[in-house]
Amino acid sequence: INEKGEQWYTQMGRVFESIKNKQDDYNWLITDMDCIPQKIEEYRCGDYCWLTGEELSRIIGEDDGQWVWAVLSGFDKSIDLSEVLKYLRPYADGYKGFWINPISIQHPLATIEIVPWDSSLTLFFSKHEDMVKDFLTFFPFSEELSAYNAK
């Protein structure tokens, strides 16, 4: 969880920088979108967007505005959208699972999940511990969500 020490918490450019731009290695399902950068809205398909990591990086490079709400779920590029859509779409506002240990990624096929939360913090989840460590190192006032929840 990153909620301290930053001017803006929900700009994806900084989050991507923290994980050494590994977002390009994934395809992204973006759901539960509210007040997001306008360029992302152009790719909306009903209640979600499906983008390659390269597309997402290009869009954020052009429009790195603050996000208010969303869930960005990253999938191995071998997983098709048809498989992803067989499951419930992840959501941020009202999802209690973020605040209960043990924490987990919402979508069972996702490898990474980034959640801009009410423009006031960013939640970051990954099945790759090195990415979590990179995020925590880049944002020195961030902390493990499980420790945050235990307080």
Side-chain angles (χ1 to χ4, degrees), residues 22-96:
K22 291 179 184 169
Q23 75 279 357
D24 288 348
D25 298 342
Y26 301 91
N27 286 330
W28 292 89
L29 178 71
I30 306 173
T31 55
D32 197 22
M33 299 170 279
D34 186 21
C35 297
I36 60 174
Q38 189 61 41
K39 285 274 187 191
I40 296 293
E41 286 286 358
E42 295 172 15
Y43 291 84
R44 187 186 288 254
C45 180
D47 64 346
Y48 69 89
C49 291
W50 178 253
L51 300 166
T52 66
E54 295 85 0
E55 289 172 319
L56 182 56
S57 293
R58 182 184 50 74
I59 293 166
I60 296 304
E62 295 172 9
D63 183 6
D64 192 16
Q66 189 175 18
W67 299 57
V68 176
W69 292 100
V71 178
L72 293 85
S73 302
F75 299 85
D76 185 276
K77 290 194 174 197
S78 66
I79 299 173
D80 292 327
L81 177 60
S82 61
E83 286 299 309
V84 170
L85 294 179
K86 290 179 181 178
Y87 298 89
L88 294 175
R89 290 180 186 59
Y91 63 100
D93 192 9
Y95 180 67
K96 293 179 177 54

Side-chain angles (χ1 to χ4, degrees), residues 15-26:
V15 173
F16 294 162
E17 187 180 349
S18 79
I19 61 170
K20 301 176 181 173
N21 291 302
K22 291 179 184 169
Q23 75 279 357
D24 288 348
D25 298 342
Y26 301 91

